[in-house]
């Protein structure tokens, strides 16, 4: 027993990598500096009355029970309209250089206002969202505590939601423990998978604490990506033809939980996603064993999921706009 | 100050009622005897993969952030189909003599199977629900712990959901504290409202720990209730013409949270609901003050809401049936 512990120690030392020099960084737990704002933001994140129907909340499509996604190819919106693109995870989203697949929102606050007013998503208006929240004394009191005034506006609503979302970080994954020096935290196959992940060049895009989200990249760099999804990526933002099919590189944190994969949500299997990326982005064909090892590595990126106590929302009253779940308008 | 405390004490004593003799009983906190089953049931309660779309869970329509309801007249089902009747609250539901408005399910376990397989609600089949849950090793392990075998079946799924639902009790409302001897727990108007509630005969149906749920009663006893909702109540279960429009008496616990009211969800204001019930069931017209006092009393029935830590659900894998959010079938 003593011998084996000694051997493990030697083996750990002999790897000799420095976490700081690795392309993937340890993800740190969120520091909560404004707990009351975070609590208000959590209420609003779970608030279905921010939608026209009174049925859809942020959590409907970025479900914190399921890795911060809805786990379907594209989301279900107001009156069951089919969303245009796969819902990206809200977990670790603050590490992204911008929000949405095409990066059209500069940060989480700007993002949060989008779905509320998108007729295909929550189908509401900012004006009605504000009126709804402001109608409830319990919300007004919380706004007063956090913002110094009972006045509710859309910027405060989205600021609070963003403050909550910034806490949705998933530290202490097996891979983080490994980076932190715990050689036993991941399997030998996962270690090989990580070496392949580096040597095959995946880290060129999938790097940093979120293992992605730090750059834009063309989907189908070497070979074209075939999809029925009409999304054009960054071109929709910049207008440049060269930005066609250029998307924000998604985070690979919790990738085991955030299927189906790619902006069109077309691939359910992580092995298939790895093979497709390898072929289309790198022009490389992996062996079956390499794919399995890469998948094994990717699964070590699943971190501790945020522990969320479900908020209790205040009741509507006679001044609250009525939800319109079945109106045609 | 001393005098006023003395006076209050005397006044409390002088009421002299015995809680045991009251028609409404104190609601006791849930006793959890099988915590692992409750935990499994909570996962299944929040499990959208028990629906065809992968989007609708029990919590979608019985939202524990919102008094155990969806707060819309009738629920949104698979492909946004409009439900036939207002979703009753899951809170304190185990105190009901039977489940659903027409009492067609004898208990919570029998109820839980209904929406899963109802094409207008979760739109799934029991077979696919079982296959989905059984596909995930983390679920199988939990079933083994709770039921002694990894085998999943619909009876175990609904048994676990029911075990969780039995814990969804809301004790320590201001009214319970009042019943328990704390004279200051409710206002003078609420006390008068309670006296009116008794003297006007509301307690004939709304009694017991859940302030309802112990009997069936005709909706529109004295004057007919006009509604576009085609639900026939108990007649659908018994086939008897005399059971037409006879519904289970709903609980009034947390009634401030469980709007809109009645089986058709047609009334949003508690004052209007009180007036309507008084007129249609008792043939009595309340004064504005009486209505306000009754409402004041009813609001004291809002208890401590269950504190729910959101469950983290295991990921699907290649053996999990794919959700069908947009298929026409």
């Amino acid at each position: 027993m003593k011998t084996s512990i000694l051997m493990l120690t030697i083996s750990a030392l002999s790897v000799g990598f420095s976490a700081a020099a690795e392309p993937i960084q340890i993800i740190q737990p969120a520091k909560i500096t404004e707990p009351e704002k975070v609590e208000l933001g959590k209420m609003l994140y779970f608030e279905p009355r921010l939608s026209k129907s009174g049925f859809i909340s942020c959590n409907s499509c970025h479900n914190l029970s399921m890795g911060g996604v809805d786990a379907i190819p594209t989301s279900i919106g107001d009156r069951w309209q089919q969303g245009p693109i796969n819902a990206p995870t809200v977990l670790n989203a603050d590490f992204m250089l911008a929000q949405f697949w095409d990066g059209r929102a500069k940060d989480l606050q700007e993002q949060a206002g989008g779905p509320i007013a998108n007729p295909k998503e929550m189908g509401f208006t900012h004006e009605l969202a504000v009126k709804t929240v402001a109608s409830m004394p319990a919300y007004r009191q919380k706004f007063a505590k956090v913002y110094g005034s009972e006045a509710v506006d859309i910027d405060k609503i989205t600021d609070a939601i963003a403050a909550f979302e910034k806490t949705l970080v998933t530290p202490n994954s097996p891979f983080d423990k490994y980076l932190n020096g715990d050689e036993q935290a991941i399997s030998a196959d996962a270690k090989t998978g990580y070496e392949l992940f580096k040597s095959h060049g995946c880290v060129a895009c999938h790097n940093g604490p979120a293992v992605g989200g730090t750059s834009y990249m063309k989907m189908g760099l070497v070979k074209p990506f075939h999809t029925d999804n009409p999304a054009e990526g960054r071109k929709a933002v910049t207008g440049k033809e060269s930005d066609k099919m250029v998307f924000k590189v998604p985070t690979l944190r919790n990738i085991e939980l955030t299927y189906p994969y790619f902006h069109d949500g077309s691939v359910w299997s992580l092995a298939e996603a790895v093979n497709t990326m390898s072929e289309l982005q790198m022009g490389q064909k992996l062996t079956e064993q390499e794919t399995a090892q890469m998948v094994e590595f990717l699964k070590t990126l699943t971190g501790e999921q945020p522990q969320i106590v479900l908020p209790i929302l205040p009741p509507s009253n006679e001044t609250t706009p009525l939800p319109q779940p079945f109106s045609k308008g």
Side-chain angles (χ1 to χ4, degrees), chain A:
Chain A
M1 187 66 180
K2 262 187 187 166
T3 320
S4 73
I5 288 172
L6 186 66
M7 282 173 66
L8 289 173
T9 312
I10 291 168
S11 130
L13 290 172
S14 68
V15 170
F17 73 58
S18 147
E22 292 300 307
I24 297 174
Q25 274 94 53
I26 291 171
I27 204 161
Q28 303 295 339
K31 283 193 191 76
I32 297 178
T33 54
E34 298 178 286
E36 284 174 337
K37 190 191 275 190
V38 169
E39 191 60 29
L40 172 59
K42 184 173 80 168
M43 292 172 74
L44 295 167
Y45 188 87
F46 280 90
E47 183 52 89
R49 289 168 296 184
L50 291 182
S51 68
K52 182 185 178 192
S53 62
F55 187 66
I56 300 178
S57 71
C58 304
N59 193 65
S60 298
C61 299
H62 302 282
N63 189 336
L64 294 172
S65 287
M66 301 181 76
V69 299
D70 50 10
I72 52 180
T74 63
S75 297
I76 292 167
D78 189 55
R79 287 173 288 144
W80 215 265
Q81 289 173 91
Q82 184 162 4
I85 208 157
N86 184 253
T89 181
V90 68
L91 299 176
N92 310 303
D94 196 38
F95 290 92
M96 309 294 102
L97 81 163
Q99 301 299 321
F100 294 117
W101 278 96
D102 57 12
R104 68 183 181 276
K106 71 173 186 298
D107 57 21
L108 286 171
Q109 183 183 6
E110 192 175 322
Q111 189 282 331
I116 294 173
N118 186 326
K120 287 193 149 191
E121 300 187 27
M122 296 164 84
F124 219 24
T125 66
H126 287 174
E127 194 190 348
L128 278 168
V130 168
K131 208 176 160 190
T132 297
V133 172
S135 72
M136 293 174 251
Y139 269 125
R140 289 202 303 271
Q141 284 158 25
K142 283 180 191 290
F143 276 78
K145 261 196 178 172
V146 173
Y147 296 104
S149 145
E150 281 205 348
V152 177
D153 62 40
I154 192 67
D155 289 339
K156 290 179 190 169
I157 288 176
T158 53
D159 177 63
I161 292 174
F164 170 63
E165 290 177 339
K166 284 175 192 171
T167 70
L168 303 176
V169 176
T170 61
N172 300 318
S173 71
F175 188 73
D176 288 300
K177 290 177 185 164
Y178 172 67
L179 281 184
N180 223 354
D182 177 0
E183 271 285 310
Q184 308 307 304
I186 70 173
S187 69
D189 272 346
K191 287 173 203 170
T192 310
Y194 178 46
E195 293 309 316
L196 290 167
F197 189 79
K198 291 193 282 189
S199 63
H200 281 255
C202 312
V203 290
C205 297
H206 292 287
N207 53 42
V211 200
T214 54
S215 62
Y216 298 103
M217 187 48 59
K218 184 168 180 184
M219 179 66 171
L221 197 59
V222 176
K223 293 184 192 176
F225 177 67
H226 297 293
T227 178
D228 294 336
N229 189 301
E232 296 204 305
R234 288 291 292 165
K235 188 189 164 197
V237 179
T238 66
K240 290 185 200 162
E241 198 56 31
S242 60
D243 277 339
K244 200 170 166 178
M245 290 301 276
V246 172
F247 293 94
K248 188 181 65 184
V249 174
T251 175
L252 297 183
R253 291 273 175 191
N254 309 295
I255 193 71
E256 186 188 5
L257 311 179
T258 61
Y259 54 87
Y261 304 111
F262 304 146
H263 71 274
D264 63 352
S266 60
V267 169
W268 290 83
S269 134
L270 195 45
E272 188 184 335
V274 164
N275 285 336
T276 301
M277 287 307 280
S278 184
E279 249 188 276
L280 302 193
Q281 304 303 98
M282 309 297 197
Q284 293 169 350
K285 204 149 168 50
L286 300 173
T287 67
E288 212 167 297
Q289 194 192 21
E290 285 173 329
T291 303
Q293 287 165 331
M294 206 92 100
V295 166
E296 203 59 24
F297 154 64
L298 290 173
K299 286 185 177 175
T300 69
L301 294 171
T302 303
E304 285 174 8
Q305 302 297 296
Q307 233 211 12
I308 305 292
V309 176
L310 208 63
I312 302 302
L313 304 176
S316 295
N317 56 52
E318 282 156 54
T319 67
T320 311
L322 288 185
Q324 305 288 343
F326 299 109
S327 74
K328 304 291 176 210

